[in-house]
Amino acid sequence: MGLDVSAARAVGGQELFELYYPGDDMGAVYSTRATSFRVFAPTALGVSCILYPSPTASTGREIPMAPDCDGTWTTTVHGDLAGTCYTYRVNLGGAVNEAPDPYARALTLNGERGVVVDLDRTDPPGWTTDRRPPFRHAVDAVIYEVHVRDYSASEYSGMTHKGKYLAFTEPGALDHLVDLGVTHVHLLPVQDFASVDEAAPDEYNWGYDPHHFYVPEGSYSTNPADPTCRITEVKQMVQAFHARGIRVVMDVVYNHTYTVDGSPLHQIVPNYYHRTNAAGQFTNGSGCGTELATERPMVRKLILDSLKYWMDEYHVDGFRFDLMALLDYHTVREISAELRSLDPTVLLYGEPWAGGVSGLCPSQLFTKGRQRGLGIALFNDGLRNAVKGDTDGPGLGFVSGAPHREGAIRRGIAGSVAYDTCSCDFAAEPGETINYVSCHDNLTLWDKLAKSCPQDSEEDRIRMDLLAQAVILLSQGIPFIHGGEELLRTKHGNHNSYNAGDLVNQIDWSRKKTYPHVFAYYRGLIALRRAHPAFRMTQASQIVNHLRFHHSPANTVSFVLDGHPNGDPWRNIMVILNANRHPVEIGLPGTGPWRVVVEGMKAGTRTRRMVLGPTVSVAPISAMVLHQ
């Protein structure tokens, strides 16, 4: 059972859910002379800090904590405590719980105890001069989503530290991403999660099972038993990305915890941190664990404090929010405001849906449309489904031959903004949509096409794949690529591989040699997008003024970006998407000549041929880009 809100206990004259401690000294604040400890435990009758001489010591020194303002308890211990393990012992009247600090900056193996840490000693050489790569606007991003372990686990990866943070720091490890041209790498969760034993090298999980919010996951470090090893290695990883001009986005999970009873949050303040319904029962709007009550002040504070900590301590450049609908509107608004005050170019985006029935008031759910004006982008599942069909079934989409998808494709191309009465979607500005065709969830794009189109040849399915990415990379908004798609990544038909292990999830780098033309096409489209701001208009008004859709046959979409849009050096750019299994003749506006830069299975910025008009023939299941 959860907490009956109507019976919430008053603490010091204040209702429990009104308490808020504004200070920045939560957790263990270290100096060589002393360490102060502060924990939010308003319902406790007494709190002690237990100092342990080692991670496995059975007894420790108990330091009583004194009640302080706003439901917090505090104490200061003199001396240099760096490396000391600690927990909080909380007397709740009917029970005494011992738990790690929710604000711990370092942990023992599997997060059983917090560790006092001198963070300056965890900095790798050159860390103080690490800088975020230049970046101006959200639509300039090309995001590459990857799981830490998947990137290097394959025998063909050429990396020594397989499945580890340090794999990304090895010579040549990032050459593929730099050559591909992505601007941001999106890492599946690297905050400490509870679904693997950090000491078991063969256990695998995507990591959407949060346990601690301030500390990196230990299973990706070379020595998870060393509390500082994972901290230093994450910094080395971020430093390596930044050195190659790539920013780092963290996939974060603030919508639920792995368990309730096993959560330090619940152990210290029972029934406060997790959301309940009117009957006082815990709610599972995530579909995979009890929701965090983000609308409560100290839950919101924990989220905001930890996000700012990752930006400051680890130099992280952005965040992707899992099941973002479950984060209440006011919390998301504060996230945007506070993180942008630290870095105006921080990239923020998330999923505008839940996984079940939430205990949050529907008016507060952060669903499509709530992002308008906040500088936050949402995953565009409408465009995704229009391009490929359903996520895991045999259904067809635009690229695989489904009819009547042109309208949805046009909405996506226009950045999902209010383009006209026929093309009007959820975004106020193009920087509010994440355009994608697949991600870690569900079938990979290649597996989906195999399921939808088993009768088609491999060559035709490759054409569908390339056409799908042409839609994504030539649309207004923010393009997002599932890591390995550029190699026709397969998970052998597994649509939910969250714990399926390396054999299913690893990126098979041998496929780069098998399908070099696929990689080259993805690289060419990215180069075209990054070289030409016409594909990256920042305002809806620009799109309305410079994007012109042209009449074209069924199962095709044709449009022109005209008048040097967004300062583009090309005067006019024409894009034609042909999903038919036969060539189509498309009329060219105005007078020629036109220069073709994308055609068939070739893409890039250089001219491949000239077209004088008045029409051009577009190959089956392909995109064409021409310019004047």
Side-chain angles (χ1 to χ4, degrees):
M1 288 289 290
L3 182 68
D4 182 351
V5 176
S6 64
R9 150 182 183 180
V11 180
Q14 286 183 277
E15 290 296 322
L16 175 61
F17 294 158
E18 296 175 356
L19 289 171
Y20 176 71
Y21 175 72
D24 59 2
D25 60 343
M26 295 293 293
V29 179
Y30 167 84
S31 75
T32 56
R33 297 183 302 277
T35 297
S36 66
F37 298 87
R38 185 181 294 272
V39 62
F40 179 67
T43 60
L45 301 179
V47 182
S48 298
C49 181
I50 313 298
L51 304 180
Y52 290 96
S54 72
T56 58
S58 58
T59 58
R61 180 161 63 111
E62 184 169 359
I63 310 294
M65 302 180 75
D68 200 60
C69 59
D70 305 311
T72 65
W73 298 68
T74 186
T75 191
T76 298
V77 180
H78 295 281
D80 189 341
L81 297 187
T84 300
C85 304
Y86 74 102
T87 59
Y88 295 127
R89 186 172 292 162
V90 183
N91 180 356
L92 298 166
V96 176
N97 293 341
E98 186 171 338
D101 183 358
Y103 273 78
R105 271 66 165 184
L107 296 167
T108 61
L109 193 68
N110 291 318
E112 294 180 356
R113 291 171 178 169
V115 179
V116 179
V117 61
D118 180 352
L119 288 166
D120 289 342
R121 296 186 206 173
T122 68
D123 294 347
W127 185 242
T128 57
T129 59
D130 177 69
R131 295 293 180 268
R132 306 182 194 281
F135 183 64
R136 293 185 62 189
H137 194 279
V139 296
D140 296 333
V142 179
I143 304 169
Y144 187 93
E145 179 204 47
V146 71
H147 183 274
V148 169
R149 188 166 177 132
D150 294 356
Y151 191 77
S152 55
S154 168
E155 62 178 306
Y156 304 109
S157 72
M159 299 169 216
T160 301
H161 296 92
K162 296 189 184 303
K164 305 298 181 183
Y165 299 120
L166 288 186
F168 294 102
T169 71
E170 297 179 27
L174 302 184
D175 288 354
H176 174 84
L177 299 181
V178 173
D179 190 23
L180 185 60
V182 301
T183 66
H184 290 68
V185 64
H186 161 151
L187 298 175
L188 267 65
V190 296
Q191 287 173 311
D192 178 70
F193 55 86
S195 47
V196 300
D197 179 354
E198 292 178 342
D202 295 328
E203 291 194 9
Y204 180 99
N205 203 281
W206 283 343
Y208 293 92
D209 306 302
H211 191 44
H212 291 277
F213 295 105
Y214 273 79
V215 184
E217 166 61 22
S219 63
Y220 304 142
S221 72
T222 58
N223 185 3
D226 178 350
T228 62
C229 180
R230 64 183 79 181
I231 300 173
T232 299
E233 290 179 352
V234 169
K235 291 180 178 180
Q236 289 176 284
M237 175 184 67
V238 172
Q239 188 178 39
F241 279 119
H242 285 177
R244 300 302 302 274
I246 298 173
R247 288 191 167 208
V248 178
V249 173
M250 278 178 52
D251 198 332
V252 290
V253 186
Y254 290 108
N255 58 75
H256 76 283
T257 57
Y258 182 56
T259 63
V260 175
D261 291 340
S263 169
L265 302 171
H266 184 73
Q267 291 172 324
I268 293 173
V269 195
N271 305 315
Y272 175 81
Y273 283 93
H274 295 89
R275 193 170 283 151
T276 53
N277 60 21
Q281 299 169 320
F282 290 126
T283 58
N284 183 9
S286 70
C288 49
T290 301
E291 298 170 63
L292 281 176
T294 63
E295 67 277 15
R296 296 175 187 168
M298 289 302 286
V299 184
R300 181 178 295 160
K301 176 181 173 62
L302 175 68
I303 294 170
L304 285 164
D305 286 353
S306 60
L307 289 168
K308 289 186 288 186
Y309 175 77
W310 282 96
M311 288 184 68
D312 179 53
E313 187 64 34
Y314 291 94
H315 300 181
V316 168
D317 308 291
F319 301 95
R320 176 267 192 191
F321 295 87
D322 184 63
L323 298 180
M324 197 176 194
L326 297 177
L327 276 64
D328 68 283
Y329 174 79
H330 296 291
T331 293
V332 178
R333 186 177 61 183
E334 287 194 33
I335 287 171
S336 178
E338 296 207 20
L339 299 194
R340 291 192 184 284
S341 72
L342 299 179
D343 174 19
T345 65
V346 64
L347 194 60
L348 304 173
Y349 57 98
E351 296 176 303
W353 50 74
V357 178
S358 174
L360 183 63
C361 174
S363 66
Q364 287 298 305
L365 290 168
F366 199 79
T367 50
K368 278 184 180 177
R370 303 306 304 276
Q371 86 294 334
R372 292 189 178 109
L374 295 185
I376 290 174
L378 301 179
F379 280 94
N380 194 335
D381 55 328
L383 179 60
R384 177 198 69 192
N385 295 345
V387 171
K388 71 174 183 180
D390 56 19
T391 52
D392 295 327
L396 301 176
F398 174 74
V399 302
S400 47
H404 313 304
R405 298 294 188 272
E406 298 92 334
I409 299 298
R410 291 189 189 100
R411 286 195 294 274
I413 287 168
S416 296
V417 302
Y419 175 76
D420 61 21
T421 56
C422 297
S423 296
C424 183
D425 209 343
F426 66 92
E429 302 292 352
E432 296 174 2
T433 176
I434 297 289
N435 299 327
Y436 75 119
V437 72
S438 67
C439 66
H440 66 276
D441 281 324
N442 308 113
L443 292 172
T444 68
L445 176 58
W446 186 239
D447 289 346
K448 164 61 182 172
L449 292 172
K451 187 167 186 175
S452 296
C453 307
Q455 74 286 353
D456 285 283
S457 67
E458 180 179 86
E459 181 177 351
D460 277 352
R461 282 186 278 118
I462 290 175
R463 289 179 180 275
M464 295 173 195
D465 183 286
L466 302 186
L467 180 58
Q469 294 303 338
V471 175
I472 299 306
L473 287 162
L474 300 178
S475 291
Q476 303 298 320
I478 305 170
F480 173 104
I481 297 170
H482 178 213
E485 279 185 338
E486 72 282 9
L487 316 178
L488 301 181
R489 183 177 185 175
T490 178
K491 295 184 183 179
H492 314 288
N494 190 322
H495 72 282
N496 189 23
S497 63
Y498 74 97
N499 65 351
D502 293 332
L503 288 179
V504 170
N505 286 287
Q506 65 189 357
I507 295 178
D508 181 357
W509 293 101
S510 70
R511 295 174 73 85
K512 190 173 183 179
K513 294 182 178 179
T514 306
Y515 303 106
H517 57 302
V518 174
F519 174 78
Y521 190 89
Y522 278 59
R523 179 181 59 194
L525 284 180
I526 292 171
L528 176 63
R529 180 182 182 86
R530 293 191 64 182
H532 289 280
F535 298 107
R536 299 179 279 110
M537 288 186 270
T538 60
Q539 297 175 357
S541 59
Q542 292 176 303
I543 297 171
V544 172
N545 291 332
H546 293 283
L547 173 61
R548 303 281 180 264
F549 288 107
H550 285 247
H551 177 75
S552 60
N555 306 317
T556 69
V557 174
S558 173
F559 63 95
V560 172
L561 304 167
D562 62 13
H564 298 286
N566 202 23
D568 199 285
W570 291 347
R571 177 165 53 89
N572 296 315
I573 303 171
M574 186 167 188
V575 177
I576 307 165
L577 308 169
N578 178 23
N580 292 291
R581 285 170 164 75
H582 57 78
V584 295
E585 288 289 325
I586 300 292
L588 298 174
T591 59
W594 291 84
R595 300 172 182 269
V596 178
V597 294
V598 175
E599 184 174 25
M601 293 193 181
K602 303 289 185 180
T605 57
R606 71 176 182 85
T607 300
R608 299 184 181 278
R609 67 183 178 101
M610 303 287 288
V611 176
L612 297 178
T615 65
V616 66
S617 179
V618 183
I621 318 175
S622 73
M624 179 177 281
V625 180
L626 315 88
H627 76 92
Q628 292 179 312

